[in-house]
Amino acid sequence: MSQEETTSRILEAAGQVFADRGFKAATIRDICSKADVNLASVNYHFGDKQRLYIATIKHAHQLPSSQFPIPQWHAETSPETKLADFIQVTLSRMIPKGKAPWQAKLMMREMTQPTLAVQELIKEYIRPHFDLLLSILRQLVAKQTSEQQLTKLGFSIIGQCLFYRFNQPVLHMLVDEEMVDQHFSIEQLAQHITHFSLLAIRHFTEEPNDPSSILSTPITEQYSIGTESNTNLPEN
Amino acid sequence: MSQEETTSRILEAAGQVFADRGFKAATIRDICSKADVNLASVNYHFGDKQRLYIATIKHAHQLPSSQFPIPQWHAETSPETKLADFIQVTLSRMIPKGKAPWQAKLMMREMTQPTLAVQELIKEYIRPHFDLLLSILRQLVAKQTSEQQLTKLGFSIIGQCLFYRFNQPVLHMLVDEEMVDQHFSIEQLAQHITHFSLLAIRHFTEEPNDPSSILSTPITEQYSIGTESNTNLPEN
DNA sequence: TATCATTTTAAACAACTGTATGAAACAAGT
DNA sequence: ACTTGTTTCATACAGTTGTTTAAAATGATA
């Protein structure tokens, strides 16, 4: 067996096992037996379990990213179209469709329970993706929009997308299957998120409590918390 | 030490350890030493590790819910205010503030990697919370808004909130600490999400590709995917 | 075929884990 | 003070884990 075949078989098996069970609960014995290689192969080829894990994470995010690339945009492509594309690609990469989505599972696991691998993941994969989103948003909002406002806008969009990845099990328990089948395809979700977000962004010029807000009434008076109705929220 | 004190100290310690490390990686020795009880106490009081875990999950979701209750609203309270309150409470329950909210951590862990405990969790806790959100949204949208549209709206809001829970580590690596301190407090986030969502909801009357959309151009032409710019998205 | 570096294999090791046990400590009632 | 039921304690055990090792197998090169 060539070196490359062994390592790639280990990586494939490791991806599934790590995704299923997490770093600690996954055992090298499981991985090796699934990969049909000797127990010592992992230590020989990767050094130790930790480094195998990092290699697996790296290996994992390459496939979905190349499978669903960001389209090449023309110079005259509208930012709205770019945003729609961005959301569609993001959702496609994250939501299981057809075959084994263990890559996504693994990455999400890594994001909620970060290990050492998360730093590399962010630097190589998440950060550039997020920066792309911010550059699109910058074309959609008023020029004076601050960096932190833009960042929050970005998180509002990413948050909507991530919901359908993280909470797949919850989704299926809250929404009956028929509705999921009819209305929750990737395309439909992408369209909803795009629509929802563009509606908000279009009217999103200033911080809610900014005096120059377009809102007739400052938002803090319009729908503030605890002023009239809420007396038992803990202080903070 | 009374029986109740011992068990409650174990539950408290177990919650933190399970939340931090997950079921498998958490060790009874860790838990007992953190709780300052004897190693054998867990097996004596709970039988085994598995049953301790289930007891911990049940015990976990009680505190934050009672600590951050939904305010009692007046009859004339506006739905906007209700939504603002809802978002604030949701965020407060989910985001670490001061003390470690290991309860939320545990619940989120349970949602992404559901064990047997997840069903009870949804039925008793998540479902009623989500239904409340839907009832608020129903007051904010046009009457003919369909159930599935309402559900997606709900997920768009919950998704934004959950982002800041799930991706706390990612957030801190994408945004520098100064900006987090200045602009990402629970109150500021709640205000942003409320603002963002209300802007969208206010103009959200119809499905994007519905002919009666308020958009001048059908959304599918305005910012559709793959029509002009994108030729290398995989078919689906 | 003989040589040599690379890779695989089986076995072993040491550390750690959940669980069990029997003695000790404790608390309460008499 | 004594008894009794409960809880704690130190310790032991058996199984699993990641890792190491040295010998065997492999494959390319001459």
Side-chain angles (χ1 to χ4, degrees), chain A residues 104-138:
Chain A
K105 218 179 190 178
L106 233 192
M107 301 229 314
M108 294 308 138
R109 192 184 273 279
E110 185 61 29
M111 283 167 74
T112 37
Q113 310 149 38
T115 68
L116 297 175
V118 80
Q119 293 165 12
E120 264 177 279
L121 201 61
I122 288 184
K123 207 179 70 183
E124 292 186 21
Y125 175 76
I126 297 175
R127 162 74 77 183
H129 196 61
F130 189 66
D131 283 346
L132 172 61
L133 173 59
L134 292 188
S135 76
I136 296 172
L137 290 178
R138 215 170 268 122

Side-chain angles (χ1 to χ4, degrees), chain A residues 10-32 34 42 46 48-60 101-110 113 115 117, chain B residues 113:
Chain A
I10 291 177
L11 284 175
E12 185 69 22
Q16 300 184 36
V17 177
F18 280 135
D20 271 3
R21 307 215 241 284
F23 177 77
K24 184 69 190 299
T27 73
I28 295 189
R29 281 170 176 82
D30 279 343
I31 292 168
C32 289
K34 194 179 195 95
V42 162
F46 296 94
D48 56 22
K49 190 186 182 184
Q50 182 75 244
R51 271 174 287 183
L52 168 62
Y53 183 71
I54 293 176
T56 306
I57 297 272
K58 281 190 179 178
H59 179 248
W102 58 263
Q103 290 88 351
K105 218 179 190 178
L106 233 192
M107 301 229 314
M108 294 308 138
R109 192 184 273 279
E110 185 61 29
Q113 310 149 38
T115 68
Chain B
Q113 310 148 38

Side-chain angles (χ1 to χ4, degrees), chain A residues 14-234:
Chain A
Q16 300 184 36
V17 177
F18 280 135
D20 271 3
R21 307 215 241 284
F23 177 77
K24 184 69 190 299
T27 73
I28 295 189
R29 281 170 176 82
D30 279 343
I31 292 168
C32 289
S33 103
K34 194 179 195 95
D36 204 32
V37 300
N38 186 270
L39 169 63
S41 299
V42 162
N43 289 285
Y44 179 76
H45 288 284
F46 296 94
D48 56 22
K49 190 186 182 184
Q50 182 75 244
R51 271 174 287 183
L52 168 62
Y53 183 71
I54 293 176
T56 306
I57 297 272
K58 281 190 179 178
H59 179 248
H61 85 70
Q62 285 166 353
L63 188 59
S65 306
S66 60
Q67 197 179 354
F68 301 99
I70 296 286
Q72 301 277 66
W73 290 311
H74 302 158
E76 69 274 17
T77 302
S78 73
E80 283 85 0
T81 300
K82 289 182 182 175
L83 184 64
D85 285 349
F86 179 90
I87 290 173
Q88 164 94 18
V89 168
T90 303
L91 275 179
S92 298
R93 286 183 186 174
M94 290 191 304
I95 297 187
K97 183 152 196 172
K99 293 168 201 165
W102 58 263
Q103 290 88 351
K105 218 179 190 178
L106 233 192
M107 301 229 314
M108 294 308 138
R109 192 184 273 279
E110 185 61 29
M111 283 167 74
T112 37
Q113 310 149 38
T115 68
L116 297 175
V118 80
Q119 293 165 12
E120 264 177 279
L121 201 61
I122 288 184
K123 207 179 70 183
E124 292 186 21
Y125 175 76
I126 297 175
R127 162 74 77 183
H129 196 61
F130 189 66
D131 283 346
L132 172 61
L133 173 59
L134 292 188
S135 76
I136 296 172
L137 290 178
R138 215 170 268 122
Q139 300 181 264
L140 283 165
V141 296
K143 275 176 199 147
Q144 72 271 18
T145 305
S146 69
E147 201 64 22
Q148 57 94 357
Q149 287 176 298
L150 212 64
T151 305
K152 282 181 194 159
L153 283 178
F155 287 156
S156 280
I157 291 171
I158 293 290
Q160 292 178 72
C161 296
L162 281 175
F163 174 84
Y164 293 100
R165 139 67 25 211
F166 281 102
N167 303 86
Q168 205 80 1
V170 177
L171 168 73
H172 282 267
M173 298 186 87
L174 282 179
V175 181
D176 61 81
E177 206 172 333
E178 194 189 328
M179 194 189 276
V180 173
D181 288 345
Q182 285 186 3
H183 299 289
F184 285 77
S185 71
I186 290 183
E187 295 74 21
Q188 287 167 317
L189 291 179
Q191 212 160 52
H192 164 81
I193 295 174
T194 305
H195 184 51
F196 183 91
S197 303
L198 278 178
L199 285 178
I201 292 171
R202 237 174 239 149
H203 305 87
F204 190 95
T205 54
E206 280 305 323
E207 190 69 347
N209 47 4
D210 190 294
S212 62
S213 169
I214 55 159
L215 294 168
S216 54
T217 320
I219 196 164
T220 49
E221 291 183 17
Q222 253 194 330
Y223 36 85
S224 70
I225 291 152
T227 51
E228 53 165 51
S229 60
N230 175 8
T231 54
N232 53 353
L233 262 182

